[in-house]
Amino acid sequence: MLRQLFFAHTRVLFRQRNLSLQKPSKNPAAVQARSYSSAPPKADLDKEIEHITDLATVARDEMDFAEESRNSVYYNDDKQAAHKAVDEMALAYKELLERLSAEDKKTIETRIGMRIKEIQSAYEIMTLNDLED
């Protein structure tokens, strides 16, 4: 009897706090919706920074390939690949910043912000050089 009363009381407390006594869902959408904070944990943040750094490396490589192929038949394709890579990098960076607190934003901008801006500026310069040619 005491055990039943305890479990009934516990269920009421959980319902008041909007928590469920059911097992967690294996559905990825349900798991993602269960997020309690918009800011990623430290380990996930480091992974996202690493991912953006990888995208920046790819963008820089694509821009280098485009510069090397300037005045050749491959230049337009290489430039389009560079444009796509720069856009993908910029989008990933922007989406990360949108989810972070002001303090975390400063940290991220210090760690990789300058590199992102340098790559974007270099791409703009490459585009401006095309207009002059």
Side-chain angles (χ1 to χ4, degrees):
M1 172 102 172
L2 221 58
R3 179 179 263 174
Q4 290 174 343
L5 190 59
F6 172 76
F7 285 121
H9 180 68
T10 305
R11 272 190 228 110
V12 169
L13 288 175
F14 273 94
R15 285 187 188 136
Q16 287 175 347
R17 293 186 181 143
N18 294 327
L19 297 175
S20 174
L21 290 175
Q22 300 172 356
K23 290 184 178 180
S25 173
K26 298 288 183 184
N27 181 357
V31 171
Q32 193 172 25
R34 216 181 302 138
S35 176
Y36 298 110
S37 171
S38 61
K42 176 82 170 123
D44 290 343
L45 187 59
D46 288 340
K47 285 182 183 177
E48 289 193 54
I49 291 171
E50 184 177 336
H51 174 70
I52 293 170
T53 302
D54 291 344
L55 291 174
T57 301
V58 169
R60 174 51 80 185
D61 289 345
E62 292 294 343
M63 288 171 44
D64 289 344
F65 293 146
E67 285 296 328
E68 290 173 6
S69 67
R70 187 178 287 280
N71 298 326
S72 76
V73 295
Y74 303 108
Y75 178 69
N76 287 333
D77 290 338
D78 289 345
K79 186 178 173 200
Q80 284 178 342
H83 179 72
K84 182 179 175 184
V86 169
D87 284 349
E88 188 176 348
M89 172 204 66
L91 180 63
Y93 180 67
K94 179 184 172 195
E95 288 175 349
L96 176 62
L97 289 180
E98 288 174 352
R99 293 189 316 242
L100 297 176
S101 66
E103 183 180 317
D104 287 339
K105 279 183 186 179
K106 282 187 177 183
T107 303
I108 299 305
E109 288 171 346
T110 301
R111 285 177 68 180
I112 60 173
M114 188 56 122
R115 183 171 186 201
I116 301 299
K117 289 176 186 172
E118 286 174 2
I119 292 172
Q120 289 174 321
S121 296
Y123 181 77
E124 288 175 17
I125 290 170
M126 185 172 77
T127 304
L128 290 174
N129 287 340
D130 287 345
L131 296 176
E132 292 176 0
D133 290 339

